[in-house]
Amino acid sequence: LPIYLIHRFFEWLSDTFIPFVQYNVIPFLSDTLFPAIKKFINYIKEKSAEKEIKQNSESITTHSANTQTKNPTMENDSDINLKSCSNETENIPQTAEIKEDNYSQAEKSIILYDYDVDKPDSYVSHVTVSVQDSGITVTGHLPPYTNKEYRKIRHSETLNQIYRLKKYHNLNSFESCYGSAKVYEIWGAKYRLLAIKCYEKCLKYTPAVPITNIYSALAVLYEKSHQFEKAVNILQKHIDESPEHSSAYTHKSICLVKLGKIDEAIDMLNAVKETDYYKNPNPSIDPSFTTCIDRKLEDCLNKKERGYKFKPRKNTFDYIDPDNFSLNEICNEYLQKWS
C-alpha cells in the first residue's frame, strides 16, 4: 500500500504540478534557491515527458526512409524519392504524416514530425516539404528554446553587439551611427536616448539605407520617450519624402492626438482623403492606403466624441544620459542580464 501511494503521488505530481513549474513561473523555484527541489522536479519532468512520448508514439504513422511522392506533372509519370532529390532532406526525421490526400497538379506537402527524446521539455518540431515543378522546398521551424538555451543564445548575441558598439563608439560614419543605433534600440527602453542620438547623427551623413527608414525609427523612439513635437516634425519629413505611404500619416495623427491636437489630426486625415494617393493607391507600394486612413480617421473621431486625453505612464527606470555615460559600464550591465 505505501508503494502504491507513492506511485500515485508521483503520477499526480507529473500530471498536475509540473505544468505550473515548467517555465519557472514560481519564484521560490529559481536557480539560486532550493536547488535540490529544482533537480527533483526536473527529474519528474523527464519521466513525465517519456511517458507522454510513449503514449503518443502509437498514434503516429511511420514511413520508411524510402518514402516516395508522385508528381503528376512529369512526362514519364515517375515517382520521386524525396531523399534522393534534395540534400536538404537527408537529416529530416523519418516519422511522417501526409497532410493532404487530394493534392493539386502542382505540389504535394508532407509534414514531418520530430520528437526530441533528449529534450523532454521541448515541443514537437515540424518541417513542411513541398514537391513542385521547380523542385523540392523545405520550410519549418525548430522547437522553442528552453530557458537555459535561450539565455545562452542571448549571451552570445550580446557579446557580438558589444563588439559592434566598441568598434563604432566614435560615431564618425553612417555605418557606425546606424549600427550603434540598432543595438541600443534592441536593448530596450533604458537605452532609448542613446539610440535617438545615434539616429540623429545618421542624418549628418549620406545614408546607405532609405532615409525614410531613419525617419520612421526616430519617430517611434520620439513617441516612446514622449517627445511628441519632435515625432510630428520628423514624420512630416517622412511624408514629404514618401507621400505614398499611409504609415507616416497615421503615425503623425497618433502623435497629434497625444499632444491634445485631435482636431488637427482629423483635419490632416481629411486632407489626405483628397489626394490621389487615397483615391488611387498604388497596389505595388501601399494597397491598403485607403483602408488605413479611413480606420485612423474613424478612431480619431471616436476619441474626440469620448473626450480622450492622453495620460502618460510613469517611467519605472532612468534613461541613460547620452552625453554622460561609460560605454564599458552599460555594456557590462546589459551583459550581466544574460550571464
Side-chain angles (χ1 to χ4, degrees):
L1 182 60
I3 295 176
Y4 173 76
L5 292 177
I6 292 174
H7 175 71
R8 293 294 298 172
F9 169 76
F10 276 96
E11 285 191 345
W12 169 83
L13 188 65
S14 62
D15 294 337
T16 61
F17 187 59
I18 294 304
F20 291 99
V21 300
Q22 187 169 3
Y23 296 102
N24 301 325
V25 296
I26 301 179
F28 67 83
L29 293 175
S30 63
D31 292 330
T32 58
L33 296 176
F34 300 101
I37 297 177
K38 185 79 173 181
K39 184 177 180 180
F40 170 73
I41 290 177
N42 287 336
Y43 173 77
I44 300 301
K45 286 163 60 177
E46 293 177 1
K47 294 300 181 182
S48 177
E50 291 176 0
K51 177 182 177 182
E52 183 179 356
I53 292 172
K54 184 177 180 181
Q55 292 176 350
N56 293 337
S57 60
E58 298 178 357
S59 61
I60 300 175
T61 305
T62 304
H63 297 266
S64 64
N66 295 324
T67 301
Q68 295 180 346
T69 305
K70 189 173 183 180
N71 189 347
T73 60
M74 298 187 65
E75 296 179 359
N76 56 0
D77 199 25
S78 61
D79 292 343
I80 299 177
N81 189 317
L82 292 181
K83 191 170 182 179
S84 63
C85 287
S86 173
N87 292 332
E88 295 178 347
T89 61
E90 290 182 359
N91 297 325
I92 295 178
Q94 299 176 7
T95 306
E97 180 179 351
I98 300 299
K99 183 178 181 181
E100 294 180 339
D101 292 333
N102 299 322
Y103 57 90
S104 63
Q105 296 294 318
E107 65 179 69
K108 185 179 180 70
S109 295
I110 296 178
I111 294 183
L112 303 175
Y113 293 92
D114 179 23
Y115 289 94
D116 196 342
V117 181
D118 296 331
K119 298 178 181 178
D121 53 347
S122 64
Y123 290 94
V124 177
S125 64
H126 69 270
V127 179
T128 302
V129 180
S130 299
V131 182
Q132 302 176 345
D133 294 339
S134 58
I136 295 178
T137 58
V138 181
T139 58
H141 64 83
L142 294 173
Y145 297 113
T146 62
N147 184 42
K148 185 176 180 180
E149 291 172 336
Y150 178 73
R151 293 184 67 85
K152 185 176 181 180
I153 292 172
R154 287 302 301 268
H155 184 269
S156 177
E157 291 176 348
T158 302
L159 288 175
N160 292 332
Q161 292 163 355
I162 290 174
Y163 171 78
R164 291 172 59 187
L165 286 177
K166 292 183 177 181
K167 178 182 177 181
Y168 297 148
H169 73 280
N170 292 325
L171 302 179
N172 53 5
S173 65
F174 177 83
E175 180 186 11
S176 62
C177 295
Y178 192 72
S180 299
K182 284 295 183 183
V183 172
Y184 289 132
E185 191 176 8
I186 291 171
W187 281 11
K190 186 176 180 179
Y191 308 86
R192 193 170 290 152
L193 296 184
L194 294 173
I196 290 175
K197 179 182 178 180
C198 294
Y199 274 126
E200 289 175 342
K201 285 195 172 185
C202 286
L203 300 175
K204 299 180 180 180
Y205 301 99
T206 302
V209 299
I211 192 67
T212 52
N213 291 5
I214 302 175
Y215 291 155
S216 297
L218 271 174
V220 171
L221 293 171
Y222 283 146
E223 181 194 357
K224 289 182 177 180
S225 58
H226 298 169
Q227 302 180 53
F228 302 121
E229 288 287 356
K230 289 186 176 181
V232 170
N233 294 335
I234 203 71
L235 285 167
Q236 185 58 50
K237 293 182 179 181
H238 190 301
I239 292 172
D240 296 338
E241 185 70 26
S242 58
E244 67 277 5
H245 291 94
S246 61
S247 58
Y249 299 101
T250 55
H251 196 181
K252 182 180 178 181
S253 68
I254 292 173
C255 295
L256 288 171
V257 169
K258 291 183 177 180
L259 280 171
K261 302 178 180 180
I262 192 167
D263 290 329
E264 185 176 340
I266 293 173
D267 293 340
M268 180 202 67
L269 293 173
N270 283 324
V272 174
K273 295 179 69 173
E274 302 300 324
T275 62
D276 292 335
Y277 305 109
Y278 177 87
K279 297 177 181 178
N280 300 301
N282 191 331
S284 62
I285 298 178
D286 192 351
S288 60
F289 189 102
T290 302
T291 304
C292 292
I293 298 297
D294 289 341
R295 288 179 178 175
K296 185 51 63 178
L297 179 59
E298 182 181 359
D299 180 61
C300 290
L301 292 173
N302 290 336
K303 287 182 176 179
K304 180 180 180 180
E305 185 179 353
R306 293 187 285 109
Y308 171 81
K309 299 292 183 183
F310 173 68
K311 297 180 180 180
R313 295 180 180 178
K314 184 179 179 180
N315 289 332
T316 58
F317 56 89
D318 294 327
Y319 289 117
I320 295 176
D321 185 359
D323 298 322
N324 184 21
F325 72 98
S326 171
L327 181 61
N328 288 330
E329 288 182 4
I330 65 172
C331 289
N332 292 334
E333 179 185 1
Y334 188 80
L335 184 62
Q336 189 65 27
K337 291 174 57 178
W338 307 108
S339 297

mmCIF file of all heavy atoms in Angstrom, residues 307-323:
data_model
loop_
_atom_site.group_PDB
_atom_site.id
_atom_site.type_symbol
_atom_site.label_atom_id
_atom_site.label_comp_id
_atom_site.label_asym_id
_atom_site.label_seq_id
_atom_site.Cartn_x
_atom_site.Cartn_y
_atom_site.Cartn_z
ATOM 1 N N GLY A 307 -13.999 62.430 -25.593
ATOM 2 C CA GLY A 307 -13.203 63.364 -24.813
ATOM 3 C C GLY A 307 -11.878 62.768 -24.360
ATOM 4 O O GLY A 307 -11.456 62.972 -23.216
ATOM 5 N N TYR A 308 -11.226 62.054 -25.258
ATOM 6 C CA TYR A 308 -9.996 61.341 -24.911
ATOM 7 C C TYR A 308 -8.881 62.308 -24.532
ATOM 8 O O TYR A 308 -8.667 63.336 -25.191
ATOM 9 C CB TYR A 308 -9.556 60.475 -26.096
ATOM 10 C CG TYR A 308 -8.200 59.848 -25.950
ATOM 11 C CD1 TYR A 308 -8.025 58.686 -25.210
ATOM 12 C CD2 TYR A 308 -7.080 60.425 -26.555
ATOM 13 C CE1 TYR A 308 -6.773 58.103 -25.079
ATOM 14 C CE2 TYR A 308 -5.831 59.851 -26.428
ATOM 15 C CZ TYR A 308 -5.678 58.694 -25.687
ATOM 16 O OH TYR A 308 -4.440 58.131 -25.557
ATOM 17 N N LYS A 309 -8.170 61.999 -23.471
ATOM 18 C CA LYS A 309 -6.982 62.731 -23.041
ATOM 19 C C LYS A 309 -5.864 61.727 -22.784
ATOM 20 O O LYS A 309 -6.063 60.747 -22.060
ATOM 21 C CB LYS A 309 -7.240 63.538 -21.767
ATOM 22 C CG LYS A 309 -8.331 64.599 -21.899
ATOM 23 C CD LYS A 309 -7.898 65.720 -22.837
ATOM 24 C CE LYS A 309 -8.974 66.804 -22.904
ATOM 25 N NZ LYS A 309 -8.611 67.886 -23.865
ATOM 26 N N PHE A 310 -4.707 61.994 -23.373
ATOM 27 C CA PHE A 310 -3.577 61.082 -23.206
ATOM 28 C C PHE A 310 -2.981 61.255 -21.823
ATOM 29 O O PHE A 310 -2.674 62.364 -21.383
ATOM 30 C CB PHE A 310 -2.515 61.346 -24.272
ATOM 31 C CG PHE A 310 -1.253 60.558 -24.078
ATOM 32 C CD1 PHE A 310 -1.248 59.176 -24.228
ATOM 33 C CD2 PHE A 310 -0.072 61.197 -23.731
ATOM 34 C CE1 PHE A 310 -0.084 58.448 -24.046
ATOM 35 C CE2 PHE A 310 1.098 60.472 -23.547
ATOM 36 C CZ PHE A 310 1.089 59.097 -23.705
ATOM 37 N N LYS A 311 -2.810 60.132 -21.113
ATOM 38 C CA LYS A 311 -2.207 60.134 -19.785
ATOM 39 C C LYS A 311 -0.966 59.245 -19.820
ATOM 40 O O LYS A 311 -1.066 58.027 -19.838
ATOM 41 C CB LYS A 311 -3.200 59.606 -18.742
ATOM 42 C CG LYS A 311 -4.444 60.478 -18.592
ATOM 43 C CD LYS A 311 -5.390 59.893 -17.549
ATOM 44 C CE LYS A 311 -6.635 60.764 -17.408
ATOM 45 N NZ LYS A 311 -7.579 60.213 -16.405
ATOM 46 N N PRO A 312 0.208 59.856 -19.837
ATOM 47 C CA PRO A 312 1.444 59.049 -19.927
ATOM 48 C C PRO A 312 1.685 58.257 -18.658
ATOM 49 O O PRO A 312 1.345 58.687 -17.555
ATOM 50 C CB PRO A 312 2.540 60.105 -20.140
ATOM 51 C CG PRO A 312 1.977 61.354 -19.543
ATOM 52 C CD PRO A 312 0.487 61.287 -19.771
ATOM 53 N N ARG A 313 2.279 57.093 -18.827
ATOM 54 C CA ARG A 313 2.648 56.264 -17.688
ATOM 55 C C ARG A 313 3.959 56.746 -17.089
ATOM 56 O O ARG A 313 4.822 57.281 -17.788
ATOM 57 C CB ARG A 313 2.792 54.796 -18.108
ATOM 58 C CG ARG A 313 1.496 54.162 -18.577
ATOM 59 C CD ARG A 313 1.746 52.715 -18.970
ATOM 60 N NE ARG A 313 0.529 52.049 -19.420
ATOM 61 C CZ ARG A 313 0.478 50.807 -19.854
ATOM 62 N NH1 ARG A 313 1.600 50.078 -19.901
ATOM 63 N NH2 ARG A 313 -0.655 50.277 -20.250
ATOM 64 N N LYS A 314 4.102 56.522 -15.816
ATOM 65 C CA LYS A 314 5.328 56.911 -15.145
ATOM 66 C C LYS A 314 6.416 55.889 -15.443
ATOM 67 O O LYS A 314 6.200 54.690 -15.349
ATOM 68 C CB LYS A 314 5.099 56.988 -13.632
ATOM 69 C CG LYS A 314 6.309 57.486 -12.853
ATOM 70 C CD LYS A 314 6.005 57.574 -11.368
ATOM 71 C CE LYS A 314 7.233 58.050 -10.596
ATOM 72 N NZ LYS A 314 6.960 58.138 -9.140
ATOM 73 N N ASN A 315 7.607 56.405 -15.805
ATOM 74 C CA ASN A 315 8.726 55.521 -16.097
ATOM 75 C C ASN A 315 9.214 54.832 -14.824
ATOM 76 O O ASN A 315 9.324 55.465 -13.773
ATOM 77 C CB ASN A 315 9.884 56.299 -16.724
ATOM 78 C CG ASN A 315 9.576 56.751 -18.138
ATOM 79 O OD1 ASN A 315 8.791 56.122 -18.837
ATOM 80 N ND2 ASN A 315 10.194 57.846 -18.561
ATOM 81 N N THR A 316 9.472 53.548 -14.928
ATOM 82 C CA THR A 316 9.991 52.788 -13.788
ATOM 83 C C THR A 316 11.506 52.618 -13.882
ATOM 84 O O THR A 316 12.077 51.795 -13.192
ATOM 85 C CB THR A 316 9.320 51.407 -13.738
ATOM 86 O OG1 THR A 316 9.568 50.717 -14.975
ATOM 87 C CG2 THR A 316 7.826 51.538 -13.512
ATOM 88 N N PHE A 317 12.159 53.410 -14.744
ATOM 89 C CA PHE A 317 13.599 53.305 -14.940
ATOM 90 C C PHE A 317 14.124 54.696 -15.263
ATOM 91 O O PHE A 317 13.356 55.629 -15.520
ATOM 92 C CB PHE A 317 13.932 52.335 -16.084
ATOM 93 C CG PHE A 317 13.256 52.705 -17.377
ATOM 94 C CD1 PHE A 317 13.846 53.572 -18.281
ATOM 95 C CD2 PHE A 317 12.010 52.188 -17.670
ATOM 96 C CE1 PHE A 317 13.201 53.924 -19.463
ATOM 97 C CE2 PHE A 317 11.354 52.545 -18.847
ATOM 98 C CZ PHE A 317 11.949 53.404 -19.731
ATOM 99 N N ASP A 318 15.422 54.834 -15.263
ATOM 100 C CA ASP A 318 16.083 56.088 -15.610
ATOM 101 C C ASP A 318 16.787 55.922 -16.944
ATOM 102 O O ASP A 318 17.561 54.976 -17.144
ATOM 103 C CB ASP A 318 17.098 56.486 -14.531
ATOM 104 C CG ASP A 318 16.425 56.814 -13.207
ATOM 105 O OD1 ASP A 318 15.303 57.341 -13.248
ATOM 106 O OD2 ASP A 318 17.019 56.517 -12.156
ATOM 107 N N TYR A 319 16.510 56.849 -17.864
ATOM 108 C CA TYR A 319 17.206 56.822 -19.142
ATOM 109 C C TYR A 319 18.693 57.098 -18.926
ATOM 110 O O TYR A 319 19.086 57.872 -18.054
ATOM 111 C CB TYR A 319 16.642 57.880 -20.093
ATOM 112 C CG TYR A 319 15.258 57.589 -20.619
ATOM 113 C CD1 TYR A 319 14.190 58.425 -20.331
ATOM 114 C CD2 TYR A 319 15.028 56.481 -21.427
ATOM 115 C CE1 TYR A 319 12.926 58.175 -20.823
ATOM 116 C CE2 TYR A 319 13.765 56.215 -21.925
ATOM 117 C CZ TYR A 319 12.719 57.064 -21.622
ATOM 118 O OH TYR A 319 11.471 56.798 -22.105
ATOM 119 N N ILE A 320 19.516 56.483 -19.752
ATOM 120 C CA ILE A 320 20.952 56.754 -19.720
ATOM 121 C C ILE A 320 21.209 58.071 -20.446
ATOM 122 O O ILE A 320 20.732 58.278 -21.569
ATOM 123 C CB ILE A 320 21.737 55.609 -20.369
ATOM 124 C CG1 ILE A 320 21.580 54.329 -19.550
ATOM 125 C CG2 ILE A 320 23.212 55.960 -20.507
ATOM 126 C CD1 ILE A 320 22.234 53.116 -20.154
ATOM 127 N N ASP A 321 21.944 58.957 -19.805
ATOM 128 C CA ASP A 321 22.260 60.254 -20.394
ATOM 129 C C ASP A 321 23.198 60.049 -21.579
ATOM 130 O O ASP A 321 24.320 59.554 -21.413
ATOM 131 C CB ASP A 321 22.916 61.152 -19.349
ATOM 132 C CG ASP A 321 23.158 62.569 -19.866
ATOM 133 O OD1 ASP A 321 22.829 62.827 -21.044
ATOM 134 O OD2 ASP A 321 23.665 63.404 -19.092
ATOM 135 N N PRO A 322 22.791 60.406 -22.795
ATOM 136 C CA PRO A 322 23.642 60.152 -23.963
ATOM 137 C C PRO A 322 24.912 60.990 -23.994
ATOM 138 O O PRO A 322 25.833 60.690 -24.758
ATOM 139 C CB PRO A 322 22.723 60.484 -25.147
ATOM 140 C CG PRO A 322 21.713 61.419 -24.600
ATOM 141 C CD PRO A 322 21.505 61.025 -23.171
ATOM 142 N N ASP A 323 24.963 62.046 -23.178
ATOM 143 C CA ASP A 323 26.148 62.910 -23.159
ATOM 144 C C ASP A 323 27.066 62.614 -21.980
ATOM 145 O O ASP A 323 28.130 63.227 -21.859
ATOM 146 C CB ASP A 323 25.708 64.377 -23.115
ATOM 147 C CG ASP A 323 24.910 64.774 -24.344
ATOM 148 O OD1 ASP A 323 25.257 64.299 -25.452
ATOM 149 O OD2 ASP A 323 23.922 65.526 -24.196
#
